[in-house]
């Protein structure tokens, strides 16, 4: 199952988004019940959400590492 989880689980109090994946608590809780299309649609919005979080995680997340590696190819 496709998942944006990067095992950096903490919710930003300002936006309500997870620092690691960008989902809300309700989206994380309901992830298993979403259809594949719903999951993909939500995942398409996550990069923009993560940009709205002011206090970024201190370590590189899996998503960031993969994006960096893709950019180098």
């Amino acid at each position: 199952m496709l998942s944006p989880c990067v095992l950096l689980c903490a919710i930003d109090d300002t936006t309500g988004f997870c620092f690691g994946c960008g989902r809300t608590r309700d989206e994380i809780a309901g992830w298993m019940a979403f259809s594949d299309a719903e999951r993909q649609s939500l995942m398409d919005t996550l990069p923009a959400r993560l940009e709205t979080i002011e206090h970024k995680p201190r370590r590189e997340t899996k998503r960031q590492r993969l994006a960096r590696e893709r950019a180098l190819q």
Side-chain angles (χ1 to χ4, degrees):
M1 174 185 302
L2 188 61
S3 175
C5 183
V6 295
L7 302 176
L8 179 64
C9 305
I11 302 296
D12 176 49
D13 290 332
T14 304
T15 63
F17 301 143
C18 173
F19 285 107
C21 69
R23 294 178 292 174
T24 65
R25 283 182 174 96
D26 289 341
E27 291 165 343
I28 293 167
W31 193 253
M32 298 292 284
F34 293 168
S35 69
D36 288 342
E38 289 171 319
R39 285 188 205 105
Q40 186 59 58
S41 177
L42 180 55
M43 287 191 63
D44 292 342
T45 68
L46 298 179
R49 284 184 182 185
L50 288 169
E51 291 298 318
T52 67
I53 299 174
E54 291 184 29
H55 301 287
K56 305 287 189 226
R58 292 185 182 186
R59 66 179 176 92
E60 182 178 49
T61 65
K62 181 179 178 183
R63 174 178 289 135
Q64 291 167 334
R65 181 180 52 79
L66 291 173
R68 180 177 46 78
E69 289 173 355
R70 281 190 209 115
L72 295 174
Q73 294 177 355

